[in-house]
Amino acid sequence: MNRYSFLFPFEKIKQGSKIIIYGAGDVGCDYLKQILITNYCICVAILDRNAANIPPLVVPVYTPEYLPQFEYDYIVLAFKDGCHVQAVKDTLFHYGADISKIIFQPVRAEVNILGKIEVKQTDYNYAFQSNGISIAIKYGPCLGDSIIKKKIVMELVKKVPEVSIDIYISGGSKFMNAIYADTRGLNTVIDDGGVLFEHNKIKYDVAFELYDLLAIKHISDNLANKNRHFFDELHKLDKVLLKYNLPSSPISNMHIHFKRMIYKGLNVYNYLNFTGFFDIKDKNVDIRLNEDYLLCYKQLQLKKYITINYGTGFVSIHGKNVIAKQWNYDKICQFVQLFKTNYPDIQVVQLGTKNAAKVVGADEYILGTDLELVKHVLYGSILHIDSEGGLVHLATQLGTKCVVLFGPTMVEYFGYDENDNIVAGDCHNCYTLYDEIDKCARGMECPECMDSITPNLVMEHVDRCISDGCLL
């Protein structure tokens, strides 16, 4: 009997319907299996932004722009939580989707589904094929999270120098090498939405699932023969995690988790210290510049410059807060105008995804480019201005000071002391209060926390940073 954490929304779909699944990760693969097992409906396609990096599935995977080619009755969003639901709806609407046909079901209690489906193994040199201690870690596919979680990988290597680690992450290969290059103990990064991890986890000495919380999915009895101390420590860790009694779903549990850690004086880097298993003392993560990209960087012929980012890695639409922590487009344009007036000799370089709306007034747009080049650009920047997110984590680890706009996310948990962190207004820190975490908890299209951050306020913080004298 197969056990699935993600039950397909049978009650919302008419039997025999033609559906499209959006998302080829853990949830999407679970949905697909259940459909194939039950023959309840017909999946005509799977859509995923990272289609090129998804291993072959029974149903072909396409990028969203292929949507108009298919006939369907429903589009089922395959997400663990409400993160990016509204942004995906906006994207699908752009490609002609009827919003009323888009179905989203938050994670429910674990259920059992009869049947079995074969897992296609892909060609990797897995860590469990070596003689050392093998560890599998399953990640979520975000840039910022991957930087933060590298700290835990580094700590595991300190504990067990002979370890060999495989990281399973959906679509992460496009940036993981730029973050994890030369990481001691790392064997390989495996593009996987979760199917391969579930299939392989019992082959490892240890298998972790690492999102906002850590879960031990497997400990091999053979590990006791390889390293008895580590084996015993892991079992103690497992007991502590079970005693913590806070599963990762529903998503509102994460709000409780963040508040618990803040009260303990812990943050997103060292929160696992509460277990007694880890002893993480700082937020420093080694991220190296790839010198092969130095020539590409020099060819940009940038002079003295700051960097900005509009959007948070998923989508950005002019004048609209697609997600709650995104600063308004008009305001960032106004800020650039102010900055260019005050500092006409300093260039403004916009970074971000290829679909980011271009900020009016920026001197250069470096959008959708290789992360290795982005690292050089951030490293050479005198200051990075952004909402809390992946580029802030990257810039900070590279030693570039940031002015960071905080709204829904908690500065005490996600912030860096060396940055200039802006919190304005009387309403903030609602992140993960509700399942659709990218929406304002009060339902405001332009959340008060971000709307209270004015272009003039950001300019004041930037002026202060520059006037310190160390940035020019």
Side-chain angles (χ1 to χ4, degrees):
M1 181 172 289
N2 281 353
R3 292 158 64 84
Y4 296 100
S5 299
F6 315 114
L7 177 63
F8 183 79
F10 292 99
E11 74 279 16
K12 298 180 180 180
I13 305 292
K14 184 178 179 181
Q15 189 168 2
S17 299
K18 293 180 180 179
I19 71 157
I20 290 174
I21 295 174
Y22 188 101
D26 305 33
V27 184
C29 289
D30 263 9
Y31 283 178
L32 180 59
K33 290 180 191 178
Q34 294 169 47
I35 291 168
L36 295 174
I37 289 164
T38 61
N39 291 316
Y40 185 81
C41 56
I42 302 167
C43 183
V44 297
I46 297 173
L47 301 182
D48 195 292
R49 288 188 306 140
N50 298 307
N53 296 319
I54 303 298
L57 297 174
V58 177
V59 175
V61 184
Y62 303 88
T63 49
E65 57 263 32
Y66 284 88
L67 176 65
Q69 297 186 14
F70 300 103
E71 292 183 5
Y72 57 91
D73 300 303
Y74 301 96
I75 302 173
V76 181
L77 305 186
F79 300 144
K80 291 184 179 70
D81 51 59
C83 181
H84 301 315
V85 163
Q86 188 57 50
V88 171
K89 285 183 178 180
D90 290 340
T91 298
L92 294 174
F93 179 75
H94 174 75
Y95 290 116
D98 181 343
I99 296 297
S100 66
K101 293 183 177 182
I102 300 176
I103 304 295
F104 169 64
Q105 172 61 53
V107 172
R108 298 180 276 198
E110 186 177 86
V111 294
N112 293 321
I113 302 291
L114 289 171
K116 184 177 181 181
I117 186 168
E118 181 181 355
V119 175
K120 181 178 180 180
Q121 194 71 272
T122 53
D123 294 327
Y124 288 102
N125 293 318
Y126 294 98
F128 59 74
Q129 295 170 331
S130 65
N131 294 324
I133 293 175
S134 61
I135 295 180
I137 308 178
K138 178 182 168 187
Y139 278 11
C142 296
L143 173 61
D145 285 346
S146 296
I147 294 170
I148 293 164
K149 289 163 185 172
K150 183 177 178 180
K151 188 69 174 179
I152 295 172
V153 172
M154 293 163 62
E155 293 298 312
L156 285 170
V157 174
K158 284 182 185 178
K159 277 185 168 290
V160 195
E162 69 272 28
V163 74
S164 182
I165 298 172
D166 288 343
I167 295 174
Y168 289 75
I169 180 170
S170 176
S173 62
K174 65 183 182 298
F175 60 77
M176 286 291 282
N177 189 59
I179 304 302
Y180 283 73
D182 303 320
T183 300
R184 191 162 61 93
L186 178 63
N187 177 60
T188 191
V189 174
I190 299 165
D191 261 319
D192 173 48
V195 177
L196 276 176
F197 177 83
E198 289 299 319
H199 183 71
N200 289 337
K201 64 185 180 184
I202 61 172
K203 300 176 184 178
Y204 290 87
D205 292 312
V206 191
F208 295 108
E209 187 174 84
L210 182 57
Y211 292 98
D212 289 308
L213 288 169
L214 178 70
I216 298 177
K217 310 305 285 187
H218 172 71
I219 303 175
S220 170
D221 291 338
N222 292 332
L223 178 59
N225 299 322
K226 296 180 179 180
N227 188 322
R228 182 74 201 193
H229 177 69
F230 188 50
F231 177 82
D232 290 340
E233 273 197 306
L234 285 168
H235 278 283
K236 289 178 184 177
L237 172 63
D238 198 27
K239 289 179 181 178
V240 173
L241 294 173
L242 291 172
K243 186 178 179 180
Y244 192 61
N245 192 30
L246 198 66
S248 58
S249 61
I251 197 67
S252 55
N253 279 351
M254 293 305 98
H255 196 79
I256 298 170
H257 167 64
F258 297 150
K259 287 296 182 71
R260 284 181 180 179
M261 294 302 108
I262 289 171
Y263 280 122
K264 290 177 181 289
L266 300 174
N267 56 64
V268 69
Y269 278 93
N270 67 7
Y271 72 92
L272 284 174
N273 288 359
F274 87 89
T275 64
F277 180 84
F278 291 95
D279 185 23
I280 298 173
K281 299 185 183 300
D282 57 50
K283 300 179 181 180
N284 299 326
V285 173
D286 181 26
I287 296 178
R288 303 180 185 182
L289 294 173
N290 186 334
E291 294 304 316
D292 291 343
Y293 285 78
L294 182 58
L295 178 60
C296 294
Y297 171 65
K298 289 181 177 179
Q299 288 174 340
L300 294 173
Q301 297 184 329
L302 300 175
K303 299 176 183 177
K304 187 183 298 180
Y305 63 91
I306 65 168
T307 47
I308 61 170
N309 174 38
Y310 172 64
T312 54
F314 188 78
V315 70
S316 58
I317 296 175
H318 290 267
K320 183 176 180 181
N321 286 64
V322 176
I323 68 175
K325 68 177 182 178
Q326 179 175 304
W327 204 28
N328 181 270
Y329 176 78
D330 291 337
K331 289 188 175 182
I332 193 170
C333 291
Q334 291 167 25
F335 162 75
V336 169
Q337 185 177 10
L338 280 172
F339 182 86
K340 295 298 292 183
T341 299
N342 291 359
Y343 301 97
D345 296 329
I346 301 178
Q347 293 178 301
V348 177
V349 178
Q350 182 183 351
L351 301 175
T353 57
K354 64 180 180 181
N355 59 352
K358 291 184 176 180
V359 174
V360 175
D363 298 290
E364 297 287 343
Y365 303 96
I366 303 176
L367 305 175
T369 192
D370 194 301
L371 194 62
E372 295 287 5
L373 178 58
V374 172
K375 284 160 57 179
H376 279 277
V377 176
L378 283 172
Y379 181 73
S381 175
I382 64 172
L383 192 66
H384 180 67
I385 297 95
D386 203 344
S387 302
E388 185 274 320
L391 289 182
V392 168
H393 294 291
L394 183 58
T396 306
Q397 296 299 345
L398 290 169
T400 297
K401 188 177 181 68
C402 302
V403 172
V404 190
L405 286 59
F406 275 87
T409 50
M410 303 146 185
V411 66
E412 306 96 322
Y413 194 70
F414 295 99
Y416 296 85
D417 292 339
E418 60 264 46
N419 288 336
D420 191 317
N421 301 309
I422 301 176
V423 179
D426 298 322
C427 182
H428 5 78
N429 297 356
C430 71
Y431 179 62
T432 65
L433 260 179
Y434 294 98
D435 186 70
E436 293 195 41
I437 61 175
D438 279 345
K439 280 189 174 182
C440 168
R442 292 165 58 191
M444 302 175 70
E445 183 174 324
C446 190
E448 179 185 328
C449 57
M450 298 304 295
D451 198 41
S452 298
I453 301 175
T454 65
N456 283 322
L457 177 60
V458 176
M459 195 66 244
E460 289 173 13
H461 282 260
V462 170
D463 280 335
R464 186 160 57 243
C465 289
I466 292 179
S467 66
D468 285 344
C470 59
L471 300 179
L472 295 179

